[in-house]
Structure formats: C-alpha cells, structure tokens
Amino acid sequence: MPFKPLPADQAMPMLEWGLNWVITNHAHQYLILHAAVVERNGRAMILPAPPGSGKSTLCAALVNRDWRLLSDELTLIRLTDGMVIPISRPVSLKNRSIEIVRKLGKRVVVGQACADTGKGTVAHMRPPTESVRRMDEPARPAWVVFPQFIQNGAMTCEERGKSTAFVELVHNAFNYNLLGLAGFNAMCGLVDACSIHRITYGSLEQAYRAIDALIEE
Amino acid sequence: MNHRPMAHSDLVISLLREPCNATKLSAQDWDLLVRQARHADVMGQLHSRLSDAGQLDNMPEAARRHLETAWNLSQRHRLAVRWELLSIADTLALLNIPVVLLKGAAYFAAGRMAARGRLFTDIDILVPKEALDTVEQIFIRNGWVPTHLNAYDQRYYREWMHELPPMQHARRGTLIDIHHTLLPPTAGILCDAAALIAVARPLEDAELGAFKVLAPSDMLLHSATHLFYGEFDRGLRELLDLDQLIRELATEPDFWPTTITRARQLDLLSPLHHAVRYTHLLLGTPIPDEVLRTQLDPAMGSIRQRLLDGLFLRAFRPDHASCNDALTRLARWLAFVRSHWLRMPVYLLVPHLLYKSLISLRKEEAGG
C-alpha cells in the first residue's frame, strides 16, 4: 500500500496525492514533468520548478488572467506527437499561497484549508469552468519558463541554453529514465519546440509583466 | 454471442492459458484483470502471450495501455540488466572461476522465452563454494555493500542458507544474491552444486562470455526448486517461468528422460513432480503422457496430493482480494510455513520464526 491512512479531514489532499501517484506510476504513455502548464491561443507554457518556488501560486494567478489551466502539478507530454494533454483538476495551494490566491479576485473559489498535513496547510482552488469544459483539447508546447519567487526581489528574465534546459527538465521528469529512447526523443522535441527562460519576481505583478513580454516576442 | 462468464478469480490464469479468451471479456473483466495481473507481477508476460496470439487489438484501449506500458518497462529493464551484467563481468574478470547465472538473469542472458516481459529485482549467481570468500571480497572491493548487517541475519545466511546475505551496489542500487548451491543445506537435500556447475553451458551472446547458465534439465529443476521450496510470494509468475521453460526446453533431445534421471541424482524429484502437475493443471503446459503417468514423487499418496492441490491451486492465484475464497489466506500462510518447514529442521525453524515475529512486533511498535 503506497499510502498510510490519514485523518478524515485530510481526505481532499490525500485524494489529490493519490491521483498524482497513480498518474506518475502508470501513465507512461506520456513523458511526465513535475510542472504546471497553462495555455493561450493553442500554445502551452510549461512552468517546471521545485516545491516552494511559487509555481502553483503563479499557475493559479495566470488561470485567473485568461490562461487556460492544463495542470498545476503534472505536465503530460504525449510521446506520439509531443502535445500537452490537460488534466484540469483543482489547483493545490500550500501555506501562504492560499491567502494570496483567495485575494486574486471575486471569481476565485478556494476550498477549506486543511492544516497540519505532511506538506503543511493545503487548500484547493476550483479550476475555471472553461478549462474543465476543454479538458479533452491538447495544446502544443511553446514556452518553458522556470519561475522563482524571491521575497522583495526584483524582476529578471533570462534565456536558458537548450542543453542546460534539457538537463533541468530531466531533473523535473518523473519517468524520463524509464521511457528510455522514447523519453529522450520526447524531451529533445520539447526543448527544440520551445523558447526557454528563467524568471525571478518579487510580486505577481512583476511575473505578469515578465510573461507578457515573453509571449509578445 | 452468448458466453458463460468467466469466474473472476481465474481471469488471469484463464487468459494466460487461453489468450483467445480475450474476446470474451467485458470492460469490467478487463478492469479487474489488469489489477490482478499487476498484483501477480505478470503484466509483461500477459502482454507477450496476448501479442503472440494476435489478441492485442481485441482488448479495450485503456487496458491495452497498461499492458503496453508493462511491456515497454520490461524492454527498458533488459537494457539495464545487460549493463549490470557487463559491470559484474568486469568485477569478476580477474577471477578464473565459473560464474553461473540463475533465474531471471539467466533466462535473459540465454535468450529464453521466459525472459520476455519479465521484471526482476535482483541478479542471482552461483559460484563454487570454495570460491565464495574470494568472490565476496571482490564484490566488496568493487563498490558492493553487504545488507542484513545484524549478527543474527549474518549467522542465518552464513550457517544455514544456500547464499550469502544479499549485497547491494552502493551507486547503482542493484541487488545481487551469491549462491553456492540451490537449496539451504538445512533442507537435508543432497543437491550437488559442483555437478551443476560442471555441466553448465556457455552463452551464445559473446559479450556475456564471462557467464554460464545451467544445462536445460538443471535450469528447469532449479526453477521448480525455487518455487516449491520458496515462500510463494510470486507463485504465479514463477509457475509461468516453468511453463515457458518446459515449452521451450522440451524440444531438446531426450529432455524428459534426462530431466527425470537428473532429478533423481540431485534429490529433486518432488519439486519436479509439482512443476509438471501444476503447470499442466493450471496453464495447460504440454507434458508427454508417459511423464504424466510416471510416479515422479514416490512419497506422494492420493490424500497428500489432494491436500497439496487445495493449498497450491489457491496460492497460485494472484494475491488480490477478487481472487480469494474463504481458504485463500490460510492456504497462502500454509504455503509460506511449508517452505520454511522444508528448508529447515524444526529445532532451527521454531526459534527462527519466533525471533522473526519478535522483530516485526518490535518494528510495528517503533513505527507506530
């Protein structure tokens, strides 16, 4: 059994982790990246980052600014054609990001916060109806952005070399080794198809500006 | 079409036996089947059987994806095993001793059908007993770390078992079991390992020239011994190994007479009897009539056989709730106890099991 039983009030986080576990352990028809992914005009932006970098907060913020939610946690790259397959589920928020997301706007619905889980306090944001309605519609990857929130930091944006990005993405992949040659080919395709940047930001406003500048290029 | 529904407890075994039954399964059957096959660790093997029978297109897309994933995993596994074997060959290069691969690694290296789709977690080798210390030292000097470091386990392996405590490579994480014979000496069975090593066969694959594999009859006898003296935690997978080995090896000239003579020599008639009986009964493995009629195990009376059937026919089912009847848990437990009973005399077995239950109790308390 992969999971130990948890108290009943942690059922929602447990369900989310259980679903993640099932996908990362079984859905090997995809290259699976630990990354949020959003879409606009048919083009997907992949946001890979370690926990604590502000990836989910940024993802929640973007989908409240007319980006379509594909996933806040798992980017599924279809091996046959390199398309990103959506999993439009509630966005998982942790600790301080819960309050930040609650304040994003009137349309935002965040569920009950669940304290003292293995990852601190956890709550989930309802995915936009439009994203759920279009969950069978894949998107072509166009950008990879490595985000890093820095408290009181300044906005920076720099392009990453393809080979450096390749290695970083491998570190963020769940099943790269397991897929062998198919995984290598999918990763090459992804890196070739995308413009790749690293941004740092001290506020969501700064992040929006950096991302707006990127998509206008 | 009007078909009698298949019993849910027999889905996996029925499909392994008759892959063409794939057309008779409902979507719910497939859902259950995938879960059962995963628990029994036979997903990859099921894929090859269905693929050989041309049935992959007769199954729902969702179920096929799971089997294809298992198959892809097994292909990836083959690359890793080859790499690991080459590394081990390097480690042992300067020692001029015969190194015989056993079980999964042997099926792979010898290109046996039994290796198709199969995963395994450790590499098993057999070396002459007198070389055991040297081999262990060489492995330790090349980055392998002994596991089971406490004094009790060390003594358990070194005094009573047929293998050293398993070693793990510090960086690659691979586990290796170094055997000096096929069965624990405490089982009271003669099983002359030197005789096995003497006739072991070189591999056709030149890159793996450092290794040998057991001769065909010995390979089958070892596989049978491992299953029927083992703990039965992967019973069906090992029965499938036996099925594949028999289908493939029985084409060698005089395979059955040679195997029976060999089993008598090595004192392994009883596991051979079980192998023949249960592969034939459960998986429909072709066995010549004269072999089926031969009383292979002179100690097997009809009451004893009925009891063992009750035990094994349950214990071979996938370890999944949907396969269990009222007696399955008991049968599995008895199969486990039986394996220990066969491997150790009672004056060693009772203290050993007591010690092990104390340890697991203590772990549970500590773990909360």
Side-chain angles (χ1 to χ4, degrees):
Chain A
M1 194 164 54
F3 292 99
K4 288 203 163 146
L6 287 178
D9 66 340
Q10 296 190 17
M12 190 58 191
M14 173 94 156
L15 175 65
E16 186 216 330
W17 300 334
L19 290 171
N20 289 345
W21 183 88
V22 171
I23 293 171
T24 51
N25 279 279
H26 295 302
H28 299 307
Q29 67 271 36
Y30 306 113
L31 173 64
I32 308 171
L33 303 178
H34 188 202
V37 57
V38 292
E39 175 257 16
R40 187 179 268 182
N41 298 330
R43 307 175 80 198
M45 176 180 285
I46 298 171
L47 305 160
S53 55
K55 154 181 69 95
S56 290
T57 319
L58 182 57
C59 171
L62 290 174
V63 301
N64 284 295
R65 280 171 61 92
D66 294 330
W67 286 79
R68 174 161 72 108
L69 173 69
L70 302 185
S71 170
D72 70 311
E73 181 75 16
L74 299 171
T75 298
L76 306 182
I77 314 275
R78 190 156 64 190
L79 292 176
T80 47
D81 60 3
M83 297 292 274
V84 178
I85 304 302
I87 355 173
S88 315
R89 298 185 322 193
V91 175
S92 173
L93 304 168
K94 281 170 237 130
N95 304 319
R96 282 191 308 164
S97 72
I98 298 170
E99 277 319 302
I100 298 172
V101 172
R102 275 192 209 279
K103 288 177 193 147
L104 280 175
K106 284 214 168 70
R107 284 185 305 168
V108 177
V109 179
V110 177
Q112 199 188 340
C114 175
D116 298 325
T117 75
K119 299 182 180 181
T121 304
V122 175
H124 292 87
M125 184 194 84
R126 186 160 80 190
T129 317
E130 181 70 358
S131 302
V132 176
R133 196 179 61 76
R134 291 170 61 196
M135 64 185 262
D136 292 327
E137 194 182 304
R140 183 158 298 287
W143 305 276
V144 175
V145 176
F146 294 92
Q148 178 65 58
F149 171 74
I150 296 171
Q151 186 89 47
N152 305 321
M155 185 192 94
T156 63
C157 177
E158 59 183 81
E159 189 165 5
R160 301 294 267 176
K162 299 262 180 195
S163 50
T164 318
F166 187 103
V167 176
E168 282 185 69
L169 285 166
V170 166
H171 285 303
N172 278 286
F174 284 98
N175 60 349
Y176 176 77
N177 281 318
L178 189 146
L179 293 174
L181 183 60
F184 176 79
N185 288 336
M187 197 66 99
C188 288
L190 178 68
V191 170
D192 282 342
C194 290
S195 88
I196 304 175
H197 290 81
R198 181 179 139 82
I199 62 169
T200 67
Y201 55 96
S203 69
L204 284 173
E205 285 306 322
Q206 290 179 4
Y208 300 149
R209 259 190 289 139
I211 285 172
D212 287 347
L214 279 180
I215 61 173
E216 272 161 30
E217 269 178 23
Chain B
M1 276 192 288
N2 196 6
H3 292 295
R4 205 158 56 91
M6 231 172 281
H8 279 160
S9 54
D10 295 327
L11 276 174
V12 172
I13 290 173
S14 136
L15 209 57
L16 286 167
R17 187 187 173 120
E18 294 288 345
C20 295
N21 282 342
T23 51
K24 301 181 190 171
L25 299 183
S26 68
Q28 285 87 342
D29 289 339
W30 280 109
D31 171 56
L32 191 58
L33 179 91
V34 166
R35 289 184 281 144
Q36 289 180 356
R38 203 189 294 289
H39 274 259
D41 203 5
V42 296
M43 293 277 283
Q45 292 93 321
L46 190 58
H47 180 277
S48 12
R49 291 239 165 166
L50 289 166
S51 159
D52 288 351
Q55 294 293 331
L56 285 182
D57 292 332
N58 289 337
M59 51 191 295
E61 168 68 21
R64 194 176 69 210
R65 250 190 338 240
H66 284 285
L67 293 186
E68 275 170 357
T69 293
W71 175 253
N72 292 340
L73 246 171
S74 74
Q75 295 304 102
R76 180 72 188 78
H77 186 74
R78 294 174 77 89
L79 283 179
V81 169
R82 168 171 290 274
W83 168 254
E84 197 55 53
L85 289 177
L86 293 175
S87 308
I88 293 171
D90 273 350
T91 298
L92 296 172
L94 294 175
L95 277 183
N96 197 18
I97 55 153
V99 179
V100 180
L101 296 174
L102 300 173
K103 303 270 298 154
Y107 309 151
F108 163 75
R112 293 277 168 234
M113 300 279 279
R116 292 195 319 155
R118 191 184 188 278
L119 300 180
F120 49 96
T121 48
D122 39 12
I123 290 187
D124 297 278
I125 62 172
L126 171 71
V127 298
K129 189 164 190 194
E130 56 277 11
L132 210 52
D133 288 342
T134 324
V135 171
E136 185 179 17
Q137 286 311 313
I138 289 255
F139 271 103
I140 290 173
R141 278 208 296 278
N142 282 278
W144 295 78
V145 184
T147 62
H148 295 79
L149 284 173
N150 78 61
Y152 182 90
D153 287 343
Q154 285 287 323
R155 176 162 170 242
Y156 171 79
Y157 277 101
R158 286 173 198 279
E159 278 191 26
W160 299 331
M161 286 294 107
H162 50 306
E163 57 188 325
L164 293 174
M167 290 207 266
Q168 184 165 35
H169 195 274
R171 272 184 302 114
R172 300 198 299 270
T174 323
L175 284 164
I176 192 164
D177 288 336
I178 305 168
H179 301 246
H180 56 83
T181 183
L182 301 190
L183 266 174
T186 51
I189 283 181
L190 304 169
C191 191
D192 178 6
L196 297 168
I197 296 174
V199 297
R201 303 231 176 138
L203 290 164
E204 277 172 27
D205 186 333
E207 272 192 66
L208 300 175
F211 302 105
K212 293 183 167 185
V213 292
L214 294 175
S217 295
D218 293 346
M219 188 181 270
L220 178 65
L221 288 171
H222 175 232
S223 189
T225 306
H226 191 272
L227 172 55
F228 290 101
Y229 281 82
E231 293 175 1
F232 243 84
D233 51 344
R234 287 203 170 93
L236 183 58
R237 187 182 80 160
E238 294 198 37
L239 194 71
L240 208 49
D241 286 347
L242 284 171
D243 167 79
Q244 293 277 22
L245 287 175
I246 291 174
R247 285 174 198 266
E248 201 175 14
L249 299 176
T251 56
E252 296 248 334
D254 294 324
F255 176 74
W256 285 109
T258 314
T259 304
I260 294 170
T261 312
R262 190 64 165 165
R264 192 166 291 123
Q265 254 172 31
L266 295 169
D267 207 1
L268 298 175
L269 278 167
S270 162
L272 178 62
H273 164 83
H274 295 318
V276 165
R277 180 174 180 80
Y278 295 110
T279 51
H280 185 67
L281 268 179
L282 283 166
L283 298 171
T285 316
I287 312 273
D289 283 342
E290 63 270 24
V291 176
L292 285 175
R293 278 198 304 269
T294 310
Q295 173 77 355
L296 286 174
D297 184 353
M300 189 59 67
S302 70
I303 295 178
R304 198 162 160 209
Q305 186 67 72
R306 288 236 291 278
L307 283 172
L308 283 177
D309 283 356
L311 190 75
F312 285 136
L313 294 179
R314 286 190 177 82
F316 275 124
R317 286 183 182 158
D319 191 359
H320 188 265
S322 62
C323 301
N324 293 352
D325 64 21
L327 294 176
T328 310
R329 277 183 70 137
L330 177 68
R332 276 188 216 289
W333 183 75
L334 284 174
F336 177 81
V337 171
R338 175 183 171 275
S339 74
H340 280 77
W341 177 261
L342 292 176
R343 279 145 57 115
M344 289 178 126
V346 71
Y347 68 89
L348 290 179
L349 179 60
V350 172
H352 175 63
L353 290 182
L354 275 176
Y355 175 82
K356 282 287 167 190
S357 10
L358 268 179
I359 290 287
S360 69
L361 270 180
R362 225 181 273 169
K363 264 188 196 155
E364 254 171 47
E365 275 170 20

